[in-house]
Amino acid sequence: MEEDCLSCMKYLMFIFNLFIFLGGAFLLGVGIWVLVDPIGFRDIVAINPLLFTGVYIILAMGGMLFLLGFLGCCGAIRENKCLLLFFFMLILFIFLAELAAAILAFLFKEHLTRKYFSRELKHHYQGRNNTDVFTSTWNTVMTMFECCGVSGPEDFEESLFRHLSPSKVVPEACCQRNSYPGDIGVEECMSGSIAFRHNKGCYSAMVEYAETYIYTAGALAVVVLTIELFAMVFAMCLFRGIQ
C-alpha cells in the first residue's frame, strides 16, 4: 500500500513539474525570440526601458521555471534524493525571496507616495532624452497611461525640464495623440494649451489601473504561494519515502 502511494505521488509530481518545465521553456523561447528577432522588434524593445526590462524578467522567470521543472521531473521519475533536495531548496529560496520582497515593499512604502514621485520627476526628468533611463521610463508611462506628470501638468513648473526647455510648459509625452492633424496640436500642447494635452496625473491613472486588476493579482499571488507550499511538501514527502 505504501509503495502504491509513493508511486502515485511520484507520477503526480512528474506531471505537475512537466507543466512547469513546458511553461518555462515557452517563456524562454519568447524572450530569446524577442532578443534575436531579425524583423526589428528587438530595436523597438531596446529603446523602450519598460519593454527592455520586461524581456529580461521573462527570460529570468523562464529560466527559473525551466530549471525548477527539470529538477522536479528528474528527481521524481528517477527517485533521486539529491535532485529532490535541490528542487526543495530552490522552491524555498523563491518563497523566501517573495516574502522578503513583500516585507521590503511594506518598509519602504513611503517611497511610493505621490510627493516622492513628484519630487523625483522635478529633479530628474529631462524631456525627450532617450538615453536617460529615468526620462525614457516616464515618457513611456505618460504615453501609455495618457497622463501628464505625477499629479498633473503643474508638476513641471520649476523643474529640471523647464530649466532645459524654458519655452515648453509640458513635454511632448503629455500631448494627446491622433486628435489633431499634423504637429500643430503638439506644438500648442507644449506651449501650454489645455485642449491639446492630457491633464490627469499619472499617479491617479496608475492607481485606477491597478485597482482594476487588484483582485486578479491577489488571487494569482495566493495561487502561486499555494502551489509553492504544495510543491515543497510534496517534494519532502517523496524525499522521505525514497529508500
Side-chain angles (χ1 to χ4, degrees):
M1 181 68 179
E2 185 177 347
E3 290 183 1
D4 292 338
C5 183
L6 184 63
S7 179
C8 179
M9 187 179 297
K10 178 177 74 173
Y11 288 109
L12 281 175
M13 186 170 178
F14 174 81
I15 294 171
F16 173 76
N17 282 283
L18 180 62
F19 284 111
I20 295 178
F21 177 82
L22 293 174
F26 174 76
L27 289 177
L28 271 177
V30 170
I32 293 171
W33 172 76
V34 170
L35 289 180
V36 303
D37 174 40
I39 299 176
F41 190 64
R42 176 182 54 190
D43 298 328
I44 298 174
V45 171
I47 63 174
N48 189 319
L50 289 182
L51 290 177
F52 186 76
T53 304
V55 169
Y56 283 97
I57 290 175
I58 289 175
L59 280 172
M61 289 180 60
M64 183 175 63
L65 291 175
F66 185 86
L67 177 61
L68 198 62
F70 175 79
L71 291 173
C73 285
C74 291
I77 206 69
R78 294 172 64 88
E79 297 184 8
N80 188 302
K81 282 191 171 185
C82 182
L83 290 177
L84 286 174
L85 184 60
F86 196 13
F87 173 83
F88 174 81
M89 294 301 294
L90 187 56
I91 283 278
L92 181 62
F93 172 78
I94 295 170
F95 180 80
L96 292 176
E98 291 169 345
L99 184 62
I103 293 173
L104 287 173
F106 177 77
L107 292 176
F108 292 97
K109 61 183 179 181
E110 65 272 10
H111 292 297
L112 301 177
T113 62
R114 189 190 299 263
K115 183 178 180 181
Y116 172 81
F117 286 122
S118 295
R119 184 174 66 249
E120 292 296 301
L121 183 72
K122 282 180 176 290
H123 293 166
H124 302 293
Y125 181 79
Q126 299 178 25
R128 292 191 62 184
N129 187 348
N130 290 326
T131 61
D132 179 66
V133 174
F134 182 89
T135 298
S136 298
T137 301
W138 265 106
N139 284 337
T140 302
V141 169
M142 290 189 287
T143 302
M144 183 183 301
F145 290 95
E146 298 183 344
C147 55
C148 186
V150 178
S151 300
E154 63 274 8
D155 285 333
F156 294 103
E157 297 175 1
E158 299 180 0
S159 65
L160 174 63
F161 165 74
R162 290 296 300 276
H163 176 74
L164 296 173
S165 307
S167 62
K168 299 177 182 178
V169 176
V170 295
E172 186 177 339
C174 286
C175 300
Q176 296 179 12
R177 304 291 177 180
N178 303 323
S179 297
Y180 299 89
D183 294 328
I184 300 175
V186 174
E187 292 297 327
E188 290 288 332
C189 164
M190 292 191 292
S191 298
S193 175
I194 298 176
F196 294 89
R197 75 186 184 199
H198 300 296
N199 294 296
K200 178 185 283 189
C202 292
Y203 192 90
S204 298
M206 293 179 72
V207 167
E208 290 175 7
Y209 181 83
E211 287 175 348
T212 305
Y213 299 99
I214 188 68
Y215 294 109
T216 303
L220 184 61
V222 170
V223 169
V224 169
L225 290 174
T226 302
I227 291 174
E228 289 174 352
L229 289 172
F230 173 77
M232 285 192 290
V233 173
F234 220 19
M236 286 308 298
C237 289
L238 188 58
F239 178 84
R240 296 182 64 180
I242 297 174
Q243 300 299 324

